[in-house]
Amino acid sequence: MEEAVIQKAIQYIKEYFADDYSGHDYWHSFRVYKLAEEIARKEQANLFIVRLAALLHDVDDRKISPDTYERKENAVSFMKQCGIDDRIISDVCTIIEDVSYEGNSVTPQSLEGKCVQDADRIDAIGAIGIARAFSYGGNHNRAMYDPEIEPSLNMTRDEYRKHISTTINHFYEKLFRLKELLNTSTAKEIAEHRDRFMHEYVDEFLLEWVGKR
Ligand code: ADP
Ligand code: NI
């Protein structure tokens, strides 16, 4: 029964995110699902809850689906259709709520939530994180880089929200910090290499910019 639900959830998000390239596409959710599963196995978290929450973590996203965001209506109606226990539905909804990035400062209470949040953050770093950042930037008409805008590490969240920045700045504002925000030691291990690669990438980018490569 659990395996069947997971397969249905994969199918559901495939249809839900069809043709979305805003950064919250099907493959993002699918990667988060695989990463969360890997982390959950090592951390001995409840695999079913982790897999389900990872697959559904963006179907009620504030930006994509503002009307269902509050009550997680898409996730809930999917789970109800599958005949899932109210207790599990409620656990999954709590995880989705905590993981949503605006709630950046929320540390999920459950081990399962910690695994999903870590997986979502890991998908924002490394080679894939770099690609996502530049596609997001292009999508939002951001410059790749502007040497006249200094990376700003000390902005408050409000300043950050209003700030029009470049994609390279996004690394300083968010991506280089994600490693420190991870909950589990399994995720920290995975992040190590990805974080190093991202730093090497940005160093190389900046060297090319000034003609030293
Ligand atoms: P999440 O998938 O965790 O909800 P976001 O919606 O904030 O995250 O971002 C989706 C993707 O777009 C992430 O890979 C993120 O790094 C990237 N992104 C978000 N804001 C910016 C930005 N200002 N510049 C470049 N990339 C961004
Ligand atoms: Ni996500």
Side-chain angles (χ1 to χ4, degrees), residues 195-211:
D195 184 71
R196 200 173 323 122
F197 180 75
M198 243 176 6
H199 274 92
E200 279 167 18
Y201 172 80
V202 171
D203 288 349
E204 195 73 15
F205 182 104
L206 296 173
L207 283 171
E208 286 183 12
W209 195 279
V210 295

Side-chain angles (χ1 to χ4, degrees), residues 83-96:
I84 291 171
D85 240 51
D86 282 350
R87 196 183 42 81
I88 294 186
I89 294 182
S90 148
D91 287 353
V92 169
C93 286
T94 305
I95 295 175
I96 297 175

Side-chain angles (χ1 to χ4, degrees), residues 22-24 28 31-32 57-58 61 63 99-102 117 120-121 123-125 128-138 140 142-143 160 163-171 173-175 178:
S22 70
H24 289 90
H28 163 63
R31 288 189 306 265
V32 171
H57 86 276
D58 269 345
D61 184 84
K63 286 156 274 175
V99 164
S100 66
Y101 196 76
E102 295 276 329
Q117 188 181 60
D120 195 32
R121 286 172 170 167
D123 199 54
I125 63 176
I128 286 178
I130 294 170
R132 290 182 76 206
F134 284 104
S135 30
Y136 179 102
H140 289 76
R142 299 264 167 90
Y160 175 68
H163 191 63
I164 300 297
S165 183
T166 68
T167 299
I168 287 292
N169 263 9
H170 183 65
F171 287 82
E173 290 155 0
K174 178 169 153 191
L175 305 183
L178 287 178

